[in-house]
Amino acid sequence: MKAHRFVANGLALNCLDYGGDGKPPILFLHGGSAHAHWWDFVAPAFVGAFHVLALDQRGHGESDWADEWAYGSRHYVSDLDRVIDGWGFGAPILVGHSMGAHNVLAYAAEHSEKLRAMVAIDPPPDYPERALEFLQSIAEKPARRFQSLDEAARNFRVLPRETLAKKEILDHVARWSFKQHADGRWTHKLDRRTMIREPSRVWKSLHRIACPALIVKIAKSPLLDRELAKKMVEQLANGRLVEIDDSYHHVMLDNPGALIEIIRDFVDGLK
């Protein structure tokens, strides 16, 4: 695996490259407080047919932090537009989870013609006010500091907390989630200001998404109501809805095999 450094809006953004040079691109976007390595158990399955990439969005993973707060949907969408316009790989299939899925919808509503297709996994079409307040309350708390990477990894938790992920998957993700400071202590790589959200209102823009679009509902996750998911698909020009069982919200960790299967079925249908 190698990595690219794309510059967008003055920030260096880290992008994992799983391989497949010269093939059509597929780009994976993580959710809030996550990073590109969350896709390590899904993305490699597509190398045979695609040039497979996963982006650390601004303020996450190995990507730069904004000097002043700049973590609204419009900032993520602008970064995506600059990366895709300048990377030279062509129009991608854009796949996002949670906050990343919201960003996929917002990007596709503005730039559908620049995508081959899109996949939004458990997306919040619009954020409830209580969710924004809860995230902001977390952002205002100081980051925990740990004496070692082992201690940090032992204390790693996903949010929402519910998960069916195997221990080795959580351990893998955890060990990519922390950085060491000059004093020897470890903290999460995340810029906590990213949890102060300013989301786009994508519901009224769904009809503008012209490219093939897959909405993925996770059965055990409350984030996307089943009936609401159906209404979202009805707004899309070329939309499809699938549901995955045996998973909570973090499906790429809980049930990566099922997620690979539904994405592969969707992209095979694009040929």
Side-chain angles (χ1 to χ4, degrees), residues 4-14 64 79 82-83 86:
H4 303 280
R5 297 290 281 181
F6 297 116
V7 177
N9 297 302
L11 301 179
L13 304 181
N14 184 63
D64 285 351
D79 287 348
R82 281 158 176 74
V83 168

Side-chain angles (χ1 to χ4, degrees), residues 97-229:
H97 171 252
S98 193
M99 182 196 81
H102 182 86
N103 293 341
V104 166
L105 291 169
Y107 180 84
E110 292 185 26
H111 305 290
S112 185
E113 76 286 354
K114 297 182 182 181
L115 297 177
R116 184 178 174 202
M118 56 141 285
V119 180
I121 304 163
D122 217 22
D126 290 324
Y127 280 73
E129 192 62 34
R130 65 182 181 278
L132 297 177
E133 292 171 355
F134 172 70
L135 290 169
Q136 179 156 349
S137 72
I138 298 176
E140 292 168 351
K141 298 176 182 177
R144 290 187 65 184
R145 300 175 72 84
F146 301 97
Q147 295 294 333
S148 67
L149 179 57
D150 284 343
E151 182 190 6
R154 285 195 304 271
N155 283 274
F156 175 78
R157 300 290 185 274
V158 294
L159 185 69
R161 300 293 191 207
E162 297 82 8
T163 182
L164 301 174
K166 296 177 181 177
K167 183 180 184 300
E168 57 266 30
I169 291 180
L170 291 174
D171 286 348
H172 174 86
V173 169
R175 289 186 174 274
W176 283 105
S177 298
F178 297 91
K179 63 182 178 182
Q180 190 174 25
H181 295 269
D183 64 0
R185 295 187 178 185
W186 295 76
T187 63
H188 202 287
K189 293 176 180 178
L190 175 74
D191 183 349
R192 295 179 73 84
R193 295 175 301 167
T194 62
M195 289 183 280
I196 302 172
R197 302 282 172 82
E198 193 175 281
S200 296
R201 299 293 182 182
V202 300
W203 181 259
K204 293 183 178 179
S205 302
L206 293 175
H207 68 281
R208 294 162 52 189
I209 300 176
C211 66
L214 178 67
I215 304 296
V216 182
K217 159 66 184 164
I218 310 302
K220 294 180 182 295
S221 172
L223 267 70
L224 178 61
D225 177 79
R226 185 175 290 105
E227 292 306 312
L228 182 60

